[in-house]
Amino acid sequence: MTHAPDLSHSALIVAHGSPSDPESQEAALRALAARVGARMTGWRVEGATLAAKGRLEAAISELGKPLIYPFFMARGWFTGQVLAKKARAMGLHMLDPFGVEPDLVTCAQRELQAMLAMRSWRAEDTALVVAAHGSAVSRTSADSAYAFTRALHSRLGFVTTRTGFIEEPPFLKDVAQGLGQAICLPYFAQESGHMAHDVPVALAAAGFEGPVLPPFISWADTPALIADSIARQSADADLPTP
């Protein structure tokens, strides 16, 4: 879907990234930004992670006064404190994060229906496990994951749905046990260390043998979802042209 330029012409997609492997996360986010920008005529869209030292500031300097789009799953500590503080200090407007997108559940519904069809499974015979990060200090992350899981259960009618976390109970390795035919949907934005290590280790410990969907950065619908959101939020906020 192509958007005409509205009231702002540049946006910066910001993710947490990985302190242990900053360059691969930077490259992945830049690739996502390119796919988003290809859908937004007249806009320039770039990506930067918090983990890659100096990249956020360099990207903002290059773009001028970009809108900040948080590629995070919740209005948690990083979006509400770290990134919001940086945006305010630079006089920038921060949009709502990816995880609260109203169409995210619809995108997940399509992905799950495609997986069910590929396996010739029915939702009423299948369990769904949502693997999420969680937090030891904030309820926001868990609450977002629970709401997401409830919405998917309501729409698709899985025999059971469970939410398990990496950083807090109930832990993923516990909730993913004894489910039989099941699908795991990771509630993670990027292909992070959690996706590469923590999620598969927890699922293996649980004896979970079902398919695991990729993180949201790899979904076909994600670039269009972000492009639509940036255009809509900038218009709704009546932001001046930089």
Side-chain angles (χ1 to χ4, degrees):
M1 186 174 184
T2 300
H3 301 281
D6 193 356
L7 298 174
S8 181
H9 292 92
S10 64
L12 182 62
I13 302 172
V14 181
H16 184 276
S18 174
S20 63
D21 185 20
E23 292 306 319
S24 67
Q25 298 293 337
E26 279 285 311
L29 197 61
R30 287 196 300 270
L32 173 63
R35 295 196 295 272
V36 173
R39 290 163 170 78
M40 303 184 72
T41 302
W43 288 69
R44 183 177 178 189
V45 183
E46 300 290 346
T49 67
L50 295 173
K53 187 175 180 180
R55 296 294 176 84
L56 176 68
E57 292 77 11
I60 290 171
S61 177
E62 185 177 346
L63 291 172
K65 286 282 187 178
L67 301 178
I68 302 297
Y69 183 90
F71 193 49
F72 287 80
M73 296 313 302
R75 291 189 179 97
W77 186 75
F78 277 104
T79 54
Q81 298 295 324
V82 178
L83 190 53
K85 183 178 179 180
K86 288 178 180 289
R88 284 194 302 270
M90 297 181 182
L92 303 177
H93 184 86
M94 192 174 80
L95 305 177
D96 289 333
F98 177 78
V100 303
E101 293 292 355
D103 290 333
L104 187 59
V105 171
T106 300
C107 293
Q109 180 180 351
R110 285 196 289 267
E111 291 282 337
L112 288 167
Q113 286 173 328
M115 178 61 72
L116 289 167
M118 184 175 71
R119 297 266 173 155
S120 298
W121 290 354
R122 299 187 308 166
E124 56 266 35
D125 301 323
T126 306
L128 173 67
V129 176
V130 173
H133 188 280
S135 171
V137 297
S138 171
R139 291 302 310 160
T140 306
S141 178
D143 289 345
S144 296
Y146 281 130
F148 182 76
T149 305
R150 286 194 300 269
L152 288 174
H153 181 80
S154 175
R155 291 195 186 193
L156 288 166
F158 286 100
V159 65
T160 187
T161 56
R162 298 181 182 178
T163 307
F165 302 97
I166 300 299
E167 297 286 340
E168 66 174 281
F171 292 107
L172 179 59
K173 66 180 179 64
D174 298 321
V175 305
Q177 295 182 26
L179 293 176
Q181 181 172 297
I183 298 171
C184 178
L185 191 159
Y187 192 66
F188 288 89
Q190 289 188 280
E191 192 69 64
S192 63
H194 292 305
M195 281 298 303
H197 180 266
D198 297 328
V199 170
V201 166
L203 292 177
F208 184 93
E209 297 180 346
V212 182
L213 292 174
F216 292 108
I217 195 170
S218 300
W219 288 21
D221 287 338
T222 295
L225 186 68
I226 296 174
D228 288 343
S229 179
I230 291 172
R232 182 187 71 251
Q233 290 191 66
S234 64
D236 290 347
D238 194 29
L239 299 175
T241 303

